[in-house]
């Protein structure tokens, strides 16, 4: 291999040296850019969200599923319709029973009115017979007969009033039974409890769900957070409500504002999927950095859980965030 002239060799060596110095300078500058001031701690994590199952309360056959995996859903949106044919038959029977008891109540009420009228008439006749007996113009036997008829009519009234009370109780039971079946029918229409996205479709039309069996699993996109792990020396300075920032790997120069919603009271070993600056054999504490619900709800169509990133916590309110963490996402920017 031919040797380079001495002048060119020096020139190449100088060029390599300049490149090495430039690389070292660049790494130093990047390190300074990513360095955090005292009073701000960080840890790796990923965006997460709570899951919500859409489940049946009782064993019913799936009639129709109105969404697919990946669909965005809103609270109250109908997602699954279960077959309620049997329940509707039970409801018709319960309503017929309610109508029958209401008719029985009407008959009892009419009977009471009749008995009261008869008592008034019997009372008048007893008084008339008593006056006739007192004047010697009537017989004692006639007075006794009319008095007996009055007592019999009063007993019939008491029986009718008892029947009325029983009918009212039967109506309440029948009405409650009908309302219970109506509620069961309403519960067969499964609606979304949250704003989120369908993660798993766990059933298909024709399948029978067991009590509590899920038909869908949703990702609650209004409850978004990141869990990070800090060593004891740092976690001890973190308070609930402390200001936080979250960044994701694909856009590290734009931050999501948040706050500390949980600090674990117990130490644990660092999970395998989380990398920290501290050695793995050291104990760490789990922190939960919550994204405000109002902000998350503005970005539901763009939120992707599972994305890795970095969480930052400010433990000293007097410290300013670095410039890259002051470029935060706001509710106003969501509308643009």
């Amino acid at each position: 291999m031919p040797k380079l002239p001495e002048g060119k060799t020096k020139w190449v060596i100088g060029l390599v040296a300049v490149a090495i110095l430039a690389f070292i300078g660049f790494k130093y500058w990047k390190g300074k850019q990513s360095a955090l001031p005292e009073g701000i701690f960080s840890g790796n994590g990923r965006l997460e969200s709570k899951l919500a199952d859409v489940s049946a309360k009782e064993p019913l056959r799936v009639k129709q599923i109105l969404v697919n995996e990946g669909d965005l859903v809103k609270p109250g949106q109908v997602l699954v319709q279960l077959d309620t044919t049997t329940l509707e038959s039970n409801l018709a029977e319960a309503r017929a029973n309610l109508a029958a008891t209401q008719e029985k109540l009407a008959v009892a009420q009419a009977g009471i009115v009749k008995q009261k009228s008869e008592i008034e008439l019997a009372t008048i006749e007893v008084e008339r017979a008593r006056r006739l007996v007192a004047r010697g113009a009537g017989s004692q036997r006639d007075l006794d007969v009319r008095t007996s008829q009055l007592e019999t009519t009063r007993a019939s009234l008491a029986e009718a009033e008892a029947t009325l009370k029983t009918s009212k109780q039967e109506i309440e039971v029948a009405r409650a039974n009908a309302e219970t079946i109506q509620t069961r029918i309403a519960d067969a229409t499964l609606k979304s409890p949250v704003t989120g996205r369908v993660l798993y479709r766990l059933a298909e039309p024709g399948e029978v769900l067991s009590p509590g069996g899920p038909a869908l699993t949703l990702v609650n996109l209004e409850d978004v957070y990141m869990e990070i792990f800090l060593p004891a020396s740092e976690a001890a300075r973190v308070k609930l409500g402390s200001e936080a920032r979250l960044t994701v790997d694909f856009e590290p120069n734009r931050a999501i504002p948040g706050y500390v919603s949980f600090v674990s009271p117990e130490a644990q070993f660092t999970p395998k999927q989380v990398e920290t600056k501290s050695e793995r054999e050291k104990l760490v504490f789990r922190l939960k950095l919550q994204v405000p619900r109002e902000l998350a709800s503005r970005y539901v169509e763009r939120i992707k859980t599972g994305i890795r990133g970095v969480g930052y916590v400010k433990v000293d309110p007097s410290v300013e965030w670095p410039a890259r963490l002051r470029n935060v996402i706001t509710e106003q920017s969501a509308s643009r």
Side-chain angles (χ1 to χ4, degrees), residues 146-164:
R146 295 187 182 280
T147 302
S148 177
Q149 289 176 345
L150 175 60
E151 294 302 323
T152 301
T153 307
R154 285 174 175 169
S156 298
L157 175 61
E159 183 180 354
E161 288 176 339
T163 301
L164 177 65

Side-chain angles (χ1 to χ4, degrees), residues 114-161:
K114 178 182 178 182
Q115 295 296 331
K116 286 182 177 180
S117 298
E118 291 179 353
I119 287 174
E120 290 178 2
L121 178 59
T123 301
I124 294 172
E125 291 178 346
V126 167
E127 289 299 323
R128 181 182 298 142
R130 184 178 289 114
R131 287 195 297 270
L132 291 173
V133 169
R135 293 198 300 265
S139 67
Q140 183 64 40
R141 182 179 179 282
D142 184 58
L143 174 60
D144 293 341
V145 170
R146 295 187 182 280
T147 302
S148 177
Q149 289 176 345
L150 175 60
E151 294 302 323
T152 301
T153 307
R154 285 174 175 169
S156 298
L157 175 61
E159 183 180 354
E161 288 176 339

Side-chain angles (χ1 to χ4, degrees), residues 267-279:
Q268 63 184 84
F269 288 102
T270 312
K272 291 181 180 179
Q273 69 270 22
V274 178
E275 299 176 1
T276 62
K277 297 177 183 178
S278 33
E279 300 175 359

Side-chain angles (χ1 to χ4, degrees), residues 33-63:
Q33 289 292 310
S34 60
L36 294 173
E38 179 65 27
I40 297 178
F41 303 131
S42 68
N44 293 338
R46 61 182 181 181
L47 284 182
E48 299 182 59
S49 182
K50 289 184 178 179
L51 302 181
D53 286 334
V54 179
S55 306
K57 284 189 175 182
E58 56 184 291
L60 292 174
R61 189 179 303 277
V62 177
K63 183 177 181 180

Side-chain angles (χ1 to χ4, degrees), residues 209-220:
L209 297 179
S210 59
L216 302 168
T217 297
L218 309 180
V219 178
N220 184 357

Side-chain angles (χ1 to χ4, degrees), residues 21 28 34 44 57 63 69 83 136 139 158 165 169 242 244 246 264 266-267 274 277 303:
L21 289 174
Y28 176 78
S34 60
N44 293 338
K57 284 189 175 182
K63 183 177 181 180
E69 292 180 353
D83 190 353
S139 67
K165 184 177 180 181
Q169 293 173 343
S242 295
L246 291 71
S264 175
E266 296 182 350
V274 178
K277 297 177 183 178
I303 293 174

